[in-house]
Amino acid sequence: MVQTTPNYGLKKPDGTDVVNIADLNYNADQIDAALTPTADPSQTPTGNGPGKLVQWISWITNRIKAITGKANWWEAPATTLEAVKAHMDAAAPHPGHVLVSDVVDAPVAGKILRLNADAKLPASITGDAATVGGIAPSGFAPASHVGAGGSAHALATTTTAGFMSPADKAKLDTVASGSEPNQNAFSSVKAVASDGTTSRGQVDADAKTDLLTLKEGQNISLAVDSTNDVITIGVNTSGLNADTLDGQHASAFASASHTHANATTSAAGFMSPSDKAKLDGIAAGAEVNQNAFSVIQAQDGSGAVVGSVSADSKTDTVNLRAGTGIGLSVSGDVITISSTASQNAFTNVAVSGQSTVAADSPSDTLTLEGTGGVTITTDATNDKVTIGFAMSDAVHGNRGGGSLHAVATPTTAGFMSASDKAKLDGIQAGAQVNQPAFSTVRVGTTNIDADSPTDVLELVAGANISLTPDATNDKVTIAVTGVAQASHTHAGGDITSAVAQAMNADTVDSLHASSFGRVDAATSVNSRWTFNTTNGRLVAPVGPDKWATA
């Protein structure tokens, strides 16, 4: 049976085979083709063979190209080895010739500085052999720096750091440094009658720095303590002794020196110090605690505890995360946990012009490898793979703003400036544009200014004045108190002629107007008054002058 050679497949008949002219011609053609090959200079030799003749010729032409540096191996070289040898043997110095003694490791005038083993300038020259242009790696941003997004910088979002957008810059410029979330403040002040409902009018704050002025009314005095931010409201008394005030007898009012018992769970009263301390320890807006689970415990199928989650605050959130083969869906107040073990997945990954990568098992892994300046960054938390171009530090520095990054403006995205960063750090989370509120209260010619965003204006009840706050309806009721009791008396010598013209009293010393004489417009007084020392009253005689007896 005919055999063949291992390299060119020439036919080798056995000794008992009949000579076949066709086989001889076939072998001659094979040998002729092998002896006239076409060289392929792109084939790079990887060893010392063995190889076919065409391979050896291709390898040799590849090396000739490498030696001559020409585009084609058959092109004449720029010089010959003999010319190079003659140049090297020529006496120095001459153009292009460098003596070994001229190459040094330290700076010397007229010498050539040798690179170190890392192909960098010696550290004695730059201070840091790893610098580029005199700048150490710490002076350049890494290719994976915050905000990187290809050739441009990605804008910051509420979950990812990045560049500041023009819209965010414009918004930031409108926020004053040190801004805080809007404090609770009264933007309107409403006045109501003594019935608590009839409106007397309303004053609205028209701007953040609007001024609310308190004006003294008839028989009302205002005292201002601007140091302690206190306004004292008092009543102007005239010394008049009246048993009723606006139709109310003294018995309807409490004594100026009266006291109140402390409030209990069943009776209204004054707030005790212990209740005040308890109230001060309760945060504004506090509510009765609702029933809630403070700890959620996880157990395995056998009931063994594998861990627990504790609530760190009243509004803490426990997250349910779907594990492998588990699906979660939410509808209204219902969370549905289902199995997704048979999930859809790609079993093959195809790339045009390349071999298809097939999954060999359900748990097979596809590996992405970056070469040629391509970087691959994985984010296991967000199930994300980022493929980018790895720019060198020096190249990156010339992108988007010369050797430095431009600072963001209200119209152009860019880096955050130091002043903007300082302003941003001074703004509390959740800060808003300040709402209209009164920052100054004027009493007469004295102004009381708010010294801080959370300053408190205190109203203090003066003599014969009571203040009743209603936090639910944002209301303060101002009333007169401390009037005289119905049973008190005065000696006759205490009576004076100074009577306030503005007071409105139905009785004087328990006597109504009918108990006193009067004079008509056309009648003159001819009688003489007398004083009853027993009851302390003035008495006028009855006569034609129309005076009534007391």
Side-chain angles (χ1 to χ4, degrees):
M1 183 176 181
V2 176
Q3 304 294 322
T4 58
T5 60
N7 294 317
Y8 293 100
L10 300 178
K11 294 182 178 181
K12 298 167 44 180
D14 289 341
T16 58
D17 290 338
V18 177
V19 175
N20 190 336
I21 299 301
D23 290 341
L24 296 177
N25 292 336
Y26 172 83
N27 289 342
D29 291 339
Q30 289 293 97
I31 295 172
D32 184 71
L35 293 176
T36 56
T38 299
D40 181 7
S42 66
Q43 294 188 24
T44 302
T46 57
N48 197 34
K52 294 182 180 180
L53 180 62
V54 66
Q55 290 176 317
W56 278 103
I57 293 175
S58 296
W59 292 343
I60 292 172
T61 57
N62 176 272
R63 295 298 85 190
I64 292 175
K65 271 186 61 176
I67 293 172
T68 63
K70 296 294 184 178
N72 300 305
W73 68 271
W74 60 82
E75 294 184 41
T79 185
T80 63
L81 293 177
E82 183 153 351
V84 172
K85 176 68 168 59
H87 178 80
M88 294 175 61
D89 292 342
H94 63 277
H97 192 97
V98 178
L99 297 176
V100 174
S101 59
D102 288 337
V103 180
V104 295
D105 295 320
V108 178
K111 300 294 184 179
I112 297 175
L113 192 61
R114 179 185 290 111
L115 299 180
N116 62 16
D118 297 324
K120 297 186 174 90
L121 291 175
S124 59
I125 302 299
T126 64
D128 180 2
T131 61
V132 177
I135 302 175
S138 59
F140 298 93
S144 59
H145 69 285
V146 174
S151 61
H153 287 284
L155 296 180
T157 68
T158 55
T159 58
T160 305
F163 258 27
M164 176 180 285
S165 67
D168 285 349
K169 172 62 177 173
K171 180 186 295 183
L172 182 62
D173 286 348
T174 62
V175 180
S177 182
S179 292
E180 302 175 348
N182 285 338
Q183 66 186 49
N184 294 333
F186 298 111
S187 58
S188 298
V189 176
K190 183 178 180 180
V192 296
S194 59
D195 60 6
T197 57
T198 304
S199 176
R200 299 300 193 200
Q202 180 172 309
V203 180
D204 298 323
D206 302 317
K208 294 180 291 186
T209 58
D210 205 3
L211 176 68
L212 174 65
T213 301
L214 300 181
K215 182 179 179 181
E216 292 180 348
Q218 197 170 40
N219 296 319
I220 293 295
S221 65
L222 299 174
V224 179
D225 181 358
S226 56
T227 301
N228 298 306
D229 295 340
V230 174
I231 299 176
T232 301
I233 303 174
V235 62
N236 291 331
T237 60
S238 62
L240 181 64
N241 177 19
D243 290 335
T244 65
L245 182 65
D246 286 341
Q248 296 290 324
H249 288 277
S251 59
F253 302 95
S255 171
S257 60
H258 75 288
T259 60
H260 288 281
N262 287 338
T264 68
T265 55
S266 59
F270 265 20
M271 176 179 283
S272 66
S274 59
D275 285 348
K276 173 61 177 172
K278 180 185 296 184
L279 181 62
D280 287 349
I282 300 175
E287 301 174 350
V288 177
N289 286 339
Q290 65 184 42
N291 294 333
F293 296 110
S294 59
V295 177
I296 296 178
Q297 189 178 86
Q299 299 180 350
D300 60 17
S302 64
V305 177
V306 298
S308 63
V309 178
S310 299
D312 302 317
S313 66
K314 294 183 295 183
T315 58
D316 204 4
T317 300
V318 62
N319 296 311
L320 300 181
R321 178 178 295 174
T324 303
I326 295 296
L328 295 175
S329 62
V330 179
S331 177
D333 294 332
V334 177
I335 300 176
T336 302
I337 303 175
S338 58
S339 173
T340 59
S342 299
Q343 65 183 30
N344 295 330
F346 295 109
T347 57
N348 296 305
V349 177
V351 178
S352 178
Q354 301 293 324
S355 300
T356 298
V357 179
D360 302 316
S361 67
S363 60
D364 203 5
T365 300
L366 175 66
T367 300
L368 302 179
E369 181 178 356
T371 60
V374 175
T375 62
I376 298 178
T377 305
T378 61
D379 182 355
T381 302
N382 299 304
D383 296 334
K384 181 171 64 177
V385 177
T386 302
I387 302 175
F389 180 74
M391 299 177 290
S392 67
D393 289 341
V395 174
H396 172 77
N398 291 323
R399 292 182 179 269
S403 60
L404 296 175
H405 290 291
V407 175
T409 70
T411 58
T412 306
F415 263 19
M416 176 179 285
S417 66
S419 61
D420 283 349
K421 174 61 177 172
K423 178 187 293 186
L424 188 60
D425 286 350
I427 299 173
Q428 291 191 0
Q432 304 170 348
V433 177
N434 286 338
Q435 65 185 36
F438 294 111
S439 60
T440 300
V441 177
R442 175 177 294 161
V443 180
T445 59
T446 302
N447 289 346
I448 298 178
D449 299 323
D451 302 317
S452 69
T454 58
D455 205 4
V456 176
L457 175 66
E458 181 179 1
L459 301 180
V460 176
N464 299 322
I465 292 295
S466 67
L467 300 176
T468 304
D470 183 354
T472 302
N473 300 304
D474 296 337
K475 179 173 65 176
V476 177
T477 301
I478 304 173
V480 178
T481 185
V483 301
Q485 301 183 31
S487 61
H488 80 288
T489 61
H490 286 278
D494 294 337
I495 298 177
T496 66
S497 60
V499 179
Q501 299 299 317
M503 295 298 288
N504 175 20
D506 291 334
T507 64
V508 176
D509 284 346
S510 300
L511 295 177
H512 289 275
S514 59
S515 298
F516 297 89
R518 65 181 178 83
V519 179
D520 291 336
T523 304
S524 62
V525 179
N526 298 319
S527 303
R528 186 175 181 181
W529 286 85
T530 62
F531 180 73
N532 189 332
T533 58
T534 301
N535 58 23
R537 297 177 180 174
L538 289 173
V539 180
V542 177
D545 53 4
K546 298 182 181 180
W547 284 95
T549 181

